[in-house]
Amino acid sequence: MTERAPLSRKLSAIAESATLKVDAKAKALKAEGRQVISYAAGEPDFSTPQFVVDAAAEALRDPANYRYSPAPGLPALKEAIAAKTLRDSSLEVALNQVIVTNGGKQAVYQAFQTVVNPGDEVLLPAPYWTTYPEAIQLADGTPVEVFAGADQGYKVTVDQLEAARTEKTTVLVFVSPSNPTGAVYSPEETRAIGEWALEHGIWVITDEIYQNLTYEGAVATSIVEAVPDVAGQTILVNGVAKTYAMTGWRVGWMIGPADAIKVAGNLQSHLTSNVNNIAQRAAIAAISGPQDEAEQMRLAFDRRRRLIVQELSKIDGVSVPNPLGAFYAYPDVTGLLGREWAGRRIDTTLELADLILDEVEVAVVPGEAFGPSGYLRLSYALGDDQLLEGIQRIQRLFA
Ligand code: PMP
């Protein structure tokens, strides 16, 4: 008998999402009755606002929603997205520049599929969200990491991008506020990067999913607001998951030049067709309805942000740049490495995260999931009491 033909080499090279893996491990331990506190998941602990749930319940009773709808999205949702994009990113778009996707994640995947050709180099500022390198490789592109450490507030400079640029560079990934670091680029930094991309004809894929979650007066300036001309070579990615506590509803979108959205729509018409109509109706309510509950959630995140930064900073060997956006703290923990803790020699943050989970039942994501070792990501989207208790456990472990 001949041996079975191999699996896809392309897919076999894709790693499981590291953040989902840590979260799954934490949830499994919890299910065994262990008192695990998890800072692993990138999801708000709040419930979706009631008026959004009500809109979905109403949609459920409307038979129009039981049928296929246009693959690129319900026109009413595209209208709402266009209005939000004008409001928050200062970009005016026509409806043929918008496509509704199954979460921001599908928008990220489709964005790379839309603009990358085999062998293209994609500049990826690191630390980066763990999905980007895989999505780039699935589009046959080559991710080229450009690292910015805690000393530069986790923000890359034009000089660094220019040093990494080659003839093969066709795309830049720009994320502000950033997952995993919470860094927010200033309007000036954003403008400099946008002008550089424009000058070199480089596509920008800008992920704005955390744009409404900023603190201390920081504003996430859209790259297309900072440099309006770059809109002709920019794909914006966004979604309802983070701002409206709607991670499970799976609604995101991508926006870009009409020709780019046309080819992305062709892909989506074969891949997934329309997003669930009920979820799309809920998204219309979330984006167009009153924004005060979203604001209440932002205020709660802000309070937790200050608490986690304050408490993490008390640990010797840990330094925490102040995160001004998203809901993550990204401490530099190199001071804890190369030492023995609880009888174990710890050299990497992979080992450190394992130690913390084993010894004090606290789940954090190691820096290796987002780039180099030396960092931990802690999502502070969890209740205040748990938030403090978990950090106190870590403080005791490293006392
Ligand atoms: N972009 C970034 C930077 C994210 O952190 C996430 C969620 N972790 C997404 C996109 C995707 O969000 P979703 O698919 O849940 O809309």
Side-chain angles (χ1 to χ4, degrees):
M1 218 168 58
T2 318
E3 234 182 282
R4 192 188 72 173
L7 293 172
S8 151
R9 275 185 293 279
K10 197 152 130 180
L11 290 206
S12 301
I14 299 295
E16 178 187 351
S17 162
T19 48
L20 293 186
K21 195 164 151 186
V22 175
D23 195 52
K25 192 169 163 186
K27 282 182 177 144
L29 287 172
K30 261 189 208 168
E32 283 173 19
R34 312 253 306 259
Q35 300 297 312
V36 177
I37 296 179
S38 178
Y39 299 86
E43 84 179 329
D45 58 317
F46 300 108
S47 183
T48 302
Q50 189 58 42
F51 72 92
V52 175
V53 176
D54 291 344
E58 200 179 310
L60 203 47
R61 285 187 286 270
D62 179 356
N65 294 319
Y66 306 163
R67 303 277 171 239
Y68 289 130
S69 58
L74 296 174
L77 177 53
K78 293 206 285 182
E79 298 266 10
I81 290 168
K84 178 199 156 43
T85 306
L86 184 58
R87 179 177 81 207
D88 294 343
S89 305
S90 299
L91 180 69
E92 196 161 356
V93 292
L95 295 199
N96 65 354
Q97 291 182 261
V98 181
I99 183 166
V100 181
T101 57
N102 279 285
K105 216 171 231 182
Q106 186 179 9
V108 166
Y109 174 84
Q110 286 183 181
F112 289 114
Q113 293 289 327
T114 299
V115 300
V116 175
N117 281 296
D120 283 356
E121 291 180 0
V122 178
L123 296 186
L124 180 60
Y128 47 77
W129 179 42
T130 174
T131 289
Y132 300 133
E134 309 296 358
I136 293 165
Q137 276 160 331
L138 284 169
D140 298 321
T142 307
V144 175
E145 292 178 29
V146 182
F147 180 71
D151 55 327
Q152 52 187 105
Y154 301 120
K155 293 187 281 191
V156 295
T157 62
V158 166
D159 287 347
Q160 287 180 291
L161 295 175
E162 182 57 19
R165 186 174 66 85
T166 73
E167 278 153 35
K168 292 186 184 159
T169 307
T170 57
V171 188
L172 165 71
V173 180
F174 183 73
V175 190
S176 173
S178 152
N179 175 6
T181 66
V184 179
Y185 284 78
S186 72
E188 297 73 36
E189 291 161 343
T190 306
R191 185 175 330 114
I193 291 173
E195 282 171 356
W196 171 85
L198 185 63
E199 181 187 342
H200 298 291
I202 291 172
W203 278 100
V204 179
I205 294 181
T206 185
D207 186 336
E208 303 193 328
I209 202 153
Y210 295 102
Q211 75 178 166
N212 299 119
L213 294 173
T214 56
Y215 316 103
E216 294 183 33
V219 176
T221 305
S222 178
I223 199 160
V224 294
E225 178 177 1
V227 183
D229 285 346
V230 90
Q233 57 197 65
T234 299
I235 308 273
L236 295 88
V237 169
N238 211 325
V240 293
K242 316 290 178 173
T243 306
Y244 303 105
M246 291 179 72
T247 44
W249 295 78
R250 313 308 306 137
V251 180
W253 54 88
M254 60 185 283
I255 287 176
D259 58 343
I261 294 306
K262 173 81 184 114
V263 300
N266 292 345
L267 167 63
Q268 183 161 312
S269 75
H270 294 294
L271 191 65
T272 52
S273 298
N274 66 278
V275 172
N276 180 315
N277 292 325
I278 311 299
Q280 289 197 69
R281 292 278 172 204
I284 295 172
I287 298 171
S288 325
Q291 300 294 302
D292 26 321
E293 275 187 69
E295 175 61 6
Q296 288 307 315
M297 292 191 263
R298 189 190 68 82
L299 291 172
F301 289 140
D302 187 23
R303 189 178 63 239
R304 297 161 179 189
R305 179 184 68 91
R306 281 179 271 126
L307 179 66
I308 199 168
V309 169
Q310 173 195 306
E311 292 304 313
L312 283 171
S313 302
K314 290 181 182 165
I315 305 171
D316 259 354
V318 173
S319 107
V320 202
N322 191 25
L324 290 179
F327 39 60
Y328 307 102
Y330 205 66
D332 177 333
V333 295
T334 41
L336 297 176
L337 303 179
R339 299 165 64 174
E340 207 169 280
W341 297 105
R344 273 154 76 171
R345 163 92 192 177
I346 300 296
D347 287 312
T348 67
T349 34
L350 267 177
E351 293 165 357
L352 192 71
D354 266 342
L355 173 90
I356 295 172
L357 187 56
D358 293 346
E359 293 294 322
V360 293
E361 307 196 318
V362 172
V364 297
V365 187
E368 285 84 342
F370 314 104
S373 181
Y375 307 85
L376 296 176
R377 190 192 77 172
L378 292 89
S379 161
Y380 51 83
L382 71 169
D384 299 58
D385 291 352
Q386 284 237 312
L387 185 85
L388 184 59
E389 156 77 16
I391 304 297
Q392 285 172 340
R393 290 189 198 173
I394 300 175
Q395 286 169 342
R396 285 195 291 271
L397 177 61
F398 299 114

